[in-house]
Amino acid sequence: MDAFFSAEQDELRASVRRFLADRAPLAWVRGRWADERGTSDEIWRAMTDLGLVGLLIPEDLGGVGAGMQEAGVVLEELGRMAHPGPFLASSVGAASALLALDARAHARALAAGERIATLALVDAGRGFARWREPIADEAEGRLTGRKVHVLDGMAADLFLVTAGSHVWAVRRDAPGVRVASEPTVDGTRRFATLTLEDTPAELLGPIDALELAVDRVAIGLAVDGLGAAQAALALAVDHAKTRVQFGRPIGAFQSIAHLAAEMLQTVETGRAGAYYALWAADQADALECHRAAALTKAYASANYVRVASDAIQIFGGSGFTWEVDLHLFYKRLMSLEQDWGGDDFWLDELARMVVDGEARNE
Amino acid sequence: MDFRYPPEAEEFRASVRAWLEANLPADLRGVTVRDDLTPALVKRLRAWNRTLADAGYAGMSWPEEYGGRAASVIEQVVLAEEMSRAEAPGPINVIGLSNIAPAIMTYGTAAQKERFLLPMLRGDEIWCQGFSEPNAGSDLASITTSARRDGDDFVVNGQKVWNTLGEYANWCELLVRTNPAAAKHEGISCLLVDLASPGVVVRPIVTITGGREFAELFFEDVRVPASALLGPLDGGWKVAMATLSHERAGVASLHLQVRKKVARLIAHARTVERDGAPLGADPGKRRELARAYLLAEHMKFLADRALSASIQKRIPGPEGSLAKLVWSDTEDAIAAIAGRVLGPEANSGRFGDQRVYVRATSIAGGTSQVNRNIIATRVLGLPKGS
């Protein structure tokens, strides 16, 4: 029984934290606010050189051969720095899918930083809840349809698209492909709409093979959210210690102190579940991994945004300004509420397992 | 990370499971120490306490010299899990075993250890804590029950409340004021008091559940020998804190009963039909059940982190301080969920009782508000309020 990261994993965390502080601090994140790709060639190249981009891809395909625990360390740090860019979409989601589908050449290109990929699951007019039953149409290897909420679609040059009962690889420069940004209030995460019209596609395998990748992105988002919620809590606690009103630091007022204690309660409870899920994603069977993903994602979606909104409350008026960094985390966590299935979707997944099924219900 | 239990722990689990199957009396299955206690049931639970102690399953963490087996933390956790799985009641003398014994081991004289620990372990003498008073709840250090030195005795006067098992207890770890002139925390001492002493009156408190698990104790010129002093004279505050720290450690396995409660709720919802379909088939109720399950599982995740910190001998994180708060919030949420899932049925029987009992969880053992003060100042480092 060991619920803690190893010394090597702690070192990885330190190096990612250093990298982000040096190269992509919050000022850099603000600078990318309106940038549809959310990253720069320079930063993505640096992340590739650090071994982050190919973290989950085996060494024989040019990657690092690490697991979700390592990816989780990276994601938590990215969340703490409200980092945009396609690490989760490409290095976690698409990489996991390509490995499950044994699409080795694509995985190799990802690890080398030559290609950025993302999953395109949700059909226009439908919610995430029905990702397993796509309506995008396939005929003789050509796809027609529209996918929405494609994570980091504007940065991607390869789309893993569900159509029929299969997953297909679609290149961005293929005929009939249109990609349009979906602007949201959150400038720290990007989504796009992918339109395909009689677009040639490469068959990769059955949709079932995506279960693990879908779970990993859910876990990844929860861990990212943990990082963002921690950052919001840290800002709020610092502020409560230094901001003086009525002759004392506002943190000495119980109304503020209790709010902060509740925020910590949310963060630490979420942390315990999120780290367990990282372990389960590496070590447990598919059912347990799915259970852990549903637990941690439902918790994250239902709770983390409250930490950021309470942090803004503690800041008072200054928390409502563009200048103070809190809104970066608030917006990222507000988005997390609904991204990749909200808590309703993941609670329904849980109910399938624990009300209908027999998953660990002792 | 590795969330599996080591093979030795699984071996220990198998032996505990087999022992419980062979030794747990059928009529005690499902009974908890909290249930409506009658003298007859108390007698049965004391016998069960003795059986557990003689098999080495009570006070398992105690050092061998006091009759324990110096069990590892993970063995204690496995025992708790298996007891919960078998629906076996814990030792009735839990306050003594978990809270008072460690204080006696740390602060007691050789004679006190010799006299008290073994009968405590076997449940031959039931113990209660005499800490809270009508005017000293969260502000425990403002107790006024006094102990005045008179020859070889202390003479005790005052009133205590919320004494768990007080009605059945033989002995009491009593917090008294021995020096009214000293500062609030510095004039307090701890006495080990025989509740059969003349001048002690015990009166049960009927709680909002109608149960009588607590009592209030009245002391009128009760003579207690000076040898009953536990720890230094006027140094009782740290003895009290040592006692309470073990109480807080006990919350680490609270997830077991909460998860059991959720499992029962889910099982019930699967089988009970309304309008021709199981409750568990209703989309809204399914989500509520999943939410209850999610909260209970997160208690387990937090407990695992605390357990791991203890095994790896890391500096304890905030999980321990948070466990009590998370527990009471979770109990509260689950009680509300039971209402939404079961409808009017949630207000009768076991579920109804639980939905009333839940009010104790955010008060007993430190209110949620006091806990938040402690977390804000000690964990987050916020300045103390006035």
Side-chain angles (χ1 to χ4, degrees):
Chain A
M1 168 61 73
D2 185 352
F4 295 87
F5 290 105
S6 68
E8 292 76 20
Q9 289 163 341
D10 286 343
E11 269 171 42
L12 172 65
R13 181 186 300 281
S15 74
V16 174
R17 191 174 292 189
R18 237 180 354 255
F19 168 75
L20 293 173
D22 291 349
R23 307 284 300 276
L26 290 176
W28 180 89
V29 173
R30 285 166 173 274
R32 306 239 81 72
W33 199 260
D35 170 357
E36 291 177 341
R37 290 175 66 216
T39 190
S40 63
D41 290 342
E42 190 194 358
I43 288 294
W44 193 250
R45 171 49 55 194
M47 287 175 73
T48 307
D49 294 343
L50 277 173
L52 304 182
V53 164
L55 202 58
L56 291 176
I57 294 169
E59 286 173 279
D60 65 335
L61 296 175
V64 175
M68 272 303 282
Q69 293 176 46
E70 286 76 18
V73 163
V74 176
L75 283 159
E76 190 180 335
E77 293 306 312
L78 295 178
R80 278 170 49 109
M81 207 55 105
H83 190 80
F87 178 80
L88 178 65
S90 187
S91 300
V92 177
S96 298
L98 290 170
L99 293 173
L101 291 158
D102 202 29
R104 296 170 62 86
H106 288 304
R108 190 186 290 279
L110 241 61
E114 291 160 6
R115 199 163 288 161
I116 291 172
T118 188
L119 292 161
L121 306 182
V122 182
D123 295 277
R126 274 212 180 154
F128 188 85
R130 297 183 69 187
W131 74 266
R132 295 182 179 92
E133 316 145 32
I135 49 175
D137 200 33
E138 179 270 323
E140 292 174 17
R142 302 180 86 86
L143 307 187
T144 298
R146 178 173 293 174
K147 297 287 184 180
V148 294
H149 308 315
V150 178
L151 195 52
D152 287 300
M154 299 306 286
D157 24 49
L158 183 73
F159 297 91
L160 310 182
V161 182
T162 50
S165 51
H166 291 93
V167 190
W168 308 79
V170 171
R171 297 171 62 100
R172 187 189 185 121
D173 54 11
V177 173
R178 271 183 299 138
V179 191
S181 176
E182 292 175 10
T184 73
V185 291
D186 176 22
T188 79
R189 203 182 285 292
R190 306 287 184 277
F191 294 92
T193 296
L194 171 70
T195 308
L196 306 174
E197 211 174 312
D198 199 30
T199 299
E202 172 195 354
L203 177 64
L204 294 180
I207 280 191
D208 303 354
L210 292 185
E211 292 284 346
L212 178 69
V214 168
D215 283 346
R216 283 181 165 191
V217 173
I219 295 168
L221 276 168
V223 176
D224 177 297
L226 171 67
Q230 269 175 102
L233 171 62
L235 288 172
V237 168
D238 278 351
H239 186 76
K241 286 176 186 172
T242 50
R243 166 75 172 171
V244 173
Q245 288 286 273
F246 303 103
R248 66 179 78 161
I250 60 170
F253 293 106
Q254 290 189 335
S255 53
I256 301 295
H258 288 192
L259 207 51
E262 284 162 15
M263 291 158 72
L264 180 78
Q265 180 180 337
T266 300
V267 166
E268 294 305 323
T269 305
R271 181 195 310 284
Y275 289 178
Y276 175 79
L278 291 174
W279 175 79
D282 282 340
Q283 301 290 334
D285 61 25
L287 179 65
E288 180 59 9
C289 173
H290 190 54
R291 189 188 75 103
L295 283 167
T296 198
K297 179 60 169 66
Y299 188 89
S301 282
N303 293 289
Y304 286 157
V305 68
R306 186 84 224 162
V307 173
S309 55
D310 286 346
I312 290 179
Q313 185 66 24
I314 288 174
F315 266 73
S318 67
F320 192 65
T321 64
W322 194 267
E323 183 189 346
V324 168
D325 291 325
L326 272 179
H327 70 104
L328 275 64
F329 302 108
Y330 174 63
K331 290 166 182 171
R332 194 176 182 90
L333 293 171
M334 199 172 86
S335 180
L336 169 67
E337 253 189 319
Q338 300 305 329
D339 295 341
W340 212 256
D343 69 327
D344 283 358
F345 169 76
W346 290 101
L347 287 173
D348 288 345
E349 292 290 295
L350 262 186
R352 270 202 310 132
M353 289 182 270
V354 302
V355 181
D356 306 337
E358 302 295 333
R360 295 263 180 103
N361 188 22
E362 243 179 50
Chain B
M1 288 193 269
D2 186 352
F3 284 85
R4 288 167 303 188
Y5 287 10
E8 320 76 89
E10 296 303 339
E11 279 166 35
F12 177 68
R13 182 189 303 285
S15 68
V16 175
R17 192 172 290 188
W19 185 86
L20 282 169
E21 272 164 23
N23 291 282
L24 174 63
D27 64 322
L28 288 183
R29 189 177 293 271
V31 170
T32 71
V33 175
R34 213 172 68 190
D35 282 336
D36 280 343
L37 292 174
T38 59
L41 180 58
V42 169
K43 197 172 166 209
R44 299 278 297 116
L45 287 169
R46 288 175 81 140
W48 173 238
N49 192 142
R50 201 170 306 127
T51 308
L52 284 170
D54 292 347
Y57 294 133
M60 204 169 64
S61 63
W62 289 21
E64 286 168 35
E65 54 177 315
Y66 304 129
R69 55 161 85 174
S72 65
V73 185
I74 196 131
E75 282 180 328
Q76 295 170 55
V77 167
V78 168
L79 176 70
E81 287 174 353
E82 289 302 312
M83 297 274 282
S84 167
R85 183 180 181 275
E87 299 190 71
I92 187 171
N93 209 14
V94 58
I95 302 287
L97 294 182
S98 304
N99 300 1
I100 301 172
I104 292 180
M105 288 175 204
T106 307
Y107 293 103
T109 62
Q112 286 169 336
K113 292 175 191 172
E114 170 76 26
R115 165 65 188 82
F116 293 121
L117 290 176
L118 191 60
M120 182 188 282
L121 183 67
R122 303 185 77 230
D124 293 338
E125 290 170 344
I126 304 288
W127 282 75
C128 69
Q129 271 169 234
F131 282 25
S132 300
E133 295 181 4
N135 291 312
S138 294
D139 182 12
L140 183 61
S142 64
I143 57 160
T144 56
T145 294
S146 65
R148 180 176 47 82
R149 189 65 187 257
D150 182 26
D152 286 341
D153 292 339
F154 289 101
V155 178
V156 177
N157 280 283
Q159 182 193 349
K160 293 290 176 178
V161 287
W162 297 116
N163 312 100
T164 304
L165 285 177
E167 203 181 348
Y168 296 98
N170 309 98
W171 287 83
C172 178
E173 183 195 6
L174 189 69
L175 218 51
V176 292
R177 188 158 299 283
T178 38
N179 185 353
K184 195 164 147 183
H185 294 83
E186 283 152 25
I188 291 172
S189 301
C190 189
L191 299 175
L192 303 174
V193 178
D194 183 350
L195 291 178
S197 309
V200 178
V201 172
V202 180
R203 196 185 292 164
I205 295 173
V206 181
T207 69
I208 63 171
T209 68
R212 290 154 60 113
E213 62 180 293
F214 300 104
E216 48 190 348
L217 307 177
F218 298 85
F219 298 86
E220 196 182 342
D221 292 330
V222 176
R223 297 196 79 85
V224 177
S227 61
L229 182 68
L230 178 64
L233 185 68
D234 297 341
W237 184 251
K238 61 183 180 182
V239 182
M241 288 304 102
T243 308
L244 292 177
S245 74
H246 290 281
E247 175 167 336
R248 285 174 192 148
V251 303
S253 56
L254 285 172
H255 67 89
L256 290 170
Q257 67 191 57
V258 175
R259 288 162 77 219
K260 184 137 235 161
K261 206 176 276 183
V262 170
R264 280 204 193 101
L265 182 61
I266 290 175
H268 194 75
R270 267 183 192 156
T271 49
V272 172
E273 298 208 342
R274 193 138 322 150
D275 299 326
L279 290 172
D282 176 274
K285 294 184 194 296
R286 289 165 63 77
R287 239 170 234 174
E288 293 289 349
L289 290 168
R291 208 183 306 276
Y293 177 84
L294 175 146
L295 294 170
E297 291 302 290
H298 274 81
M299 280 186 71
K300 156 87 171 143
F301 294 141
L302 268 178
D304 278 352
R305 261 181 88 71
L307 170 63
S308 168
S310 158
I311 293 171
Q312 267 86 44
K313 310 225 182 305
R314 285 173 176 259
I315 301 162
E319 299 83 16
S321 347
L322 289 167
K324 165 79 192 341
L325 265 183
V326 173
W327 171 59
S328 47
D329 285 0
T330 303
E331 288 274 15
D332 200 33
I334 289 171
I337 287 171
R340 290 196 289 271
V341 170
L342 301 174
E345 201 191 320
N347 296 329
S348 58
R350 178 175 224 149
F351 293 108
D353 287 343
Q354 284 173 353
R355 276 155 48 81
V356 174
Y357 189 87
V358 73
R359 293 274 58 80
T361 60
S362 52
I363 301 170
T367 67
S368 295
Q369 287 68 32
V370 167
N371 269 320
R372 290 194 185 101
N373 283 346
I374 292 171
I375 287 163
T377 52
R378 298 203 194 144
V379 182
L380 293 174
L382 291 175
K384 275 197 173 165
S386 53

